[in-house]
Amino acid sequence: MYGDRMKAQAFTLEGVMASLLLLVVLYSFFQSTIVISPMWSEITDAQLKLIGYDTLKVLDYYRTSSDEIYPNQSLQGMIVHLNSTFKPNQDFIYALERMIYLADYRLELCWANLSTNAVECRALVDKKPTPEAVAASRIVVIDSGEFPASSPFYGRGYPIVFEVRLILWRP
Amino acid sequence: MDRKGRLSLDMLIGLSIFLVTFIFIAQFLPTVFADVRSEIGLAHEAYKVTVMLAETEGAWSNGTHNGTNWEDYESQWGDTDFVFLPGLTEGEPDYLEFDKLKALQNATENYYNKVREMLGLLTPDRNYNFHVSLESLDSKPYNRTLVTDRDGNVVLDAGADIPSSGYISRYERNVWVNSVYDLVGAYYIGTAGPRNVPNLCRVNVDDIDCNFTYPLRFFAIEVFGKENDPTNVWWLGVCLQKTGTPSSCNAKPDTIQVGYGSPLTSSNVKWEDTLAVKTYELTTILNNIMRDEGFSDGDTVYIKIGIHNTNATLYYSGTIDYLAGKAVAKLVVYVW
């Protein structure tokens, strides 16, 4: 009779081990960088990116005649009124912050310097973004005659291409 | 030899634990990647709707003709052979046309299911509801500020009622609207005839008093000319105060002056110009003065407008922002 007794502890243990193995594999699978689930943060960044894109588009002022003066609140007005400190005027900052409302931001300006054949960049609003920040940018072209003598772009003699980069994140 | 087939209890327990785990994982995996009714699907639908509304000028077709001026065919919106995409732009992304905003309001009110179908929210395998509105830049989901037109009517607030719970996706787009004067109230403040003023103002014998909130959204004065005698002097003064109504606001002859405090003197005038037949856009000037005087968002500002021998109209809005020469608001889309 002792030979017929079945001590089947191993069945329970095998079932438990198999379950644990499945769970560990699943956990490792999603913790790796190979698989990115759509439920993660990328989908929420689309709204912030749209806000950045729309803000720069609205602030881009299209003149209907060369006699028109760029509003201070526009991208062009902000760039034209920069001096050696590269600090944007208060009207522009007000308009920008009104449109991106509650988001924090960093503002950068890059331009093509034909004298040195290089692209130069400066941070106009120098805040440190978080890892989840998104960026939007817009290209504007301003004629050299628009800049006053106090501007770092005065006297270049050629239209200057600027890239305004707006980096946004949720505080 | 007796052979009694017995089913081990341990085997059953082990098998049950394994099967429960396997079924859990089989259920869990699909929901991670795709679900038509999940929050991910809603976000895509809401994003798609904002692109169609805020970045396209729309289109229409009745099978034989087509065009982009879908807003002009209101009598045909309900026809089965008439299809239209209700884009709102003037041909440039984020630049919305006032007439199309009003048309979308009417179309959604009268043909809600058709508009849903045209926006791709109602198909044989999906059924979403939506709500679209034009709101002020600082409008919040729990305290919405809708943009109103020059007659005080809401410009766009259409669609099904927004539910208070459940999966809802919300997207907003910063836009500007053509034209600004469709969205601001026009109030005659001159000396040539009876005056009408915004709700927050009152007319006195010689001037007008207003209580607004900082920051001002849109404030402009259009001057048409002198009232009667062209040889007589004319002037226009705007005085601001943080507390109490300004006592008087008489400007220098032949000038328009803006100052903080009253009466206007050389020490408190912050901006002035020669008075002429033109429009003075004063939003930024007034907000800058108030900012320099330490105003915080939401503070009440007391404004007195003094005017003499001048025909003029005040353009004012408490809902649309005037930024970089444009009437700016946000288009908000909810999908659920």
Side-chain angles (χ1 to χ4, degrees):
Chain A
M1 289 302 285
Y2 289 108
D4 291 336
R5 191 174 295 168
M6 295 181 66
K7 293 183 182 174
Q9 309 294 338
F11 286 115
T12 304
L13 187 60
E14 280 166 357
V16 169
M17 290 307 295
S19 305
L20 277 174
L21 203 62
L22 278 169
L23 288 170
V24 165
V25 166
L26 191 71
Y27 177 79
S28 305
F29 188 59
F30 283 104
Q31 282 299 314
S32 72
T33 55
I34 300 170
V35 174
I36 299 174
S37 164
M39 284 181 76
W40 293 346
S41 64
E42 287 189 6
I43 198 76
T44 61
D45 295 342
Q47 168 69 97
L48 209 51
K49 209 170 174 73
L50 276 179
I51 288 175
Y53 164 80
D54 290 341
T55 297
L56 291 177
K57 183 142 190 15
V58 170
L59 295 179
D60 185 354
Y61 188 81
Y62 175 72
R63 290 197 304 189
T64 52
S65 77
S66 57
D67 296 333
E68 259 186 281
I69 298 173
Y70 289 120
N72 285 351
Q73 290 175 334
S74 64
L75 294 180
Q76 292 85 347
M78 179 271 290
I79 295 170
V80 161
H81 289 105
L82 286 175
N83 57 23
S84 56
T85 63
F86 281 90
K87 192 175 171 202
N89 67 77
Q90 277 297 314
D91 293 344
F92 174 81
I93 294 294
Y94 168 78
L96 177 68
E97 291 182 352
R98 192 119 179 98
M99 295 190 69
I100 64 174
Y101 195 62
L102 294 184
D104 214 343
Y105 66 101
R106 175 184 171 88
L107 187 68
E108 295 173 351
L109 183 69
C110 295
W111 63 92
N113 188 338
L114 296 188
S115 310
T116 59
N117 284 333
V119 173
E120 298 179 31
C121 291
R122 284 292 291 265
L124 305 182
V125 175
D126 194 3
K127 295 183 193 173
K128 192 166 166 53
T130 64
E132 288 81 32
V134 296
S137 70
R138 192 158 183 90
I139 303 281
V140 295
V141 180
I142 302 176
D143 191 76
S144 65
E146 301 286 347
F147 297 102
S150 57
S151 169
F153 307 109
Y154 176 73
R156 298 270 173 128
Y158 52 83
I160 306 176
V161 180
F162 293 93
E163 182 191 15
V164 182
R165 299 188 79 231
L166 180 62
I167 296 122
L168 296 171
W169 62 92
R170 297 187 195 276
Chain B
M1 187 167 28
D2 285 337
R3 295 181 70 86
K4 295 180 181 174
R6 286 174 290 191
L7 199 59
S8 163
L9 186 61
D10 287 331
M11 189 204 75
L12 279 174
I13 292 170
L15 196 61
S16 302
I17 293 171
F18 173 76
L19 285 174
V20 164
T21 309
F22 185 79
I23 288 167
F24 165 75
I25 290 170
Q27 293 270 340
F28 171 69
L29 263 179
T31 61
V32 170
F33 290 103
D35 183 347
V36 172
R37 294 299 306 168
S38 76
E39 202 171 331
I40 308 162
L42 281 176
H44 288 146
E45 294 296 332
Y47 173 77
K48 179 186 74 179
V49 169
T50 63
V51 169
M52 282 198 279
L53 294 180
E55 296 191 27
T56 72
E57 53 183 333
W60 66 268
S61 172
N62 60 8
T64 51
H65 300 94
N66 58 54
T68 59
N69 55 334
W70 61 272
E71 70 278 12
D72 294 335
Y73 292 85
E74 184 169 354
S75 59
Q76 297 184 41
W77 288 340
D79 295 352
T80 48
D81 60 348
F82 187 85
V83 293
F84 64 101
L85 183 65
L88 301 173
T89 74
E90 284 234 357
E92 189 183 339
D94 297 339
Y95 184 29
L96 305 191
E97 196 177 319
F98 179 77
D99 290 340
K100 288 187 173 175
L101 288 164
K102 288 304 227 180
L104 180 61
Q105 174 77 36
N106 291 341
T108 309
E109 270 177 1
N110 299 317
Y111 307 101
Y112 175 64
N113 285 331
K114 178 119 188 221
V115 173
R116 279 205 297 159
E117 197 184 329
M118 297 295 108
L119 291 174
L121 298 174
L122 181 63
T123 65
D125 60 349
R126 68 173 78 120
N127 184 354
Y128 294 99
N129 286 298
F130 82 100
H131 186 96
V132 60
S133 52
L134 191 70
E135 302 181 12
S136 292
L137 288 178
D138 53 5
S139 177
K140 301 173 191 56
Y142 50 86
N143 186 12
R144 299 195 303 145
T145 305
L146 298 168
V147 169
T148 52
D149 63 17
R150 58 189 302 156
D151 299 320
N153 302 315
V154 168
V155 174
L156 179 64
D157 185 29
D161 291 336
I162 303 167
S164 54
S165 62
Y167 279 131
I168 306 168
S169 189
R170 177 180 183 274
Y171 264 87
E172 53 183 56
R173 302 294 302 263
N174 288 339
V175 297
W176 81 98
V177 184
N178 183 34
S179 70
V180 61
Y181 291 102
D182 285 320
L183 297 164
V184 299
Y187 306 95
Y188 184 72
I189 58 170
T191 50
R195 291 169 170 161
N196 67 316
V197 293
N199 289 340
L200 300 170
C201 300
R202 67 174 183 277
V203 178
N204 303 319
V205 174
D206 297 319
D207 50 42
I208 295 159
D209 287 320
C210 299
N211 298 350
F212 293 136
T213 304
Y214 172 78
L216 294 174
R217 306 278 175 88
F218 186 84
F219 189 104
I221 296 178
E222 183 176 8
V223 174
F224 298 99
K226 289 187 178 180
E227 178 198 339
N228 289 318
D229 184 358
T231 62
N232 201 352
V233 296
W234 62 335
W235 47 258
L236 200 153
V238 181
C239 297
L240 311 171
Q241 267 179 208
K242 201 169 187 180
T243 53
T245 304
S247 55
S248 67
C249 198
N250 296 352
K252 260 184 354 193
D254 302 325
T255 65
I256 173 172
Q257 290 183 313
V258 178
Y260 186 77
S262 65
L264 286 172
T265 65
S266 55
S267 61
N268 67 5
V269 168
K270 304 291 183 184
W271 177 88
E272 75 173 73
D273 196 1
T274 304
L275 193 56
V277 176
K278 63 186 269 191
T279 299
Y280 297 91
E281 205 288 290
L282 300 174
T283 314
T284 308
I285 293 167
L286 294 171
N287 282 335
N288 286 347
I289 293 171
M290 287 187 278
R291 183 194 66 221
D292 293 341
E293 295 295 333
F295 276 74
S296 302
D297 284 9
D299 282 352
T300 300
V301 56
Y302 298 88
I303 295 181
K304 183 180 279 290
I305 303 172
I307 188 166
H308 178 75
N309 192 31
T310 306
N311 274 347
T313 292
L314 168 67
Y315 296 103
Y316 170 80
S317 172
T319 58
I320 201 87
D321 276 82
Y322 191 71
L323 302 173
K326 298 167 180 166
V328 182
K330 60 184 181 188
L331 189 74
V332 183
V333 173
Y334 292 82
V335 173
W336 63 94

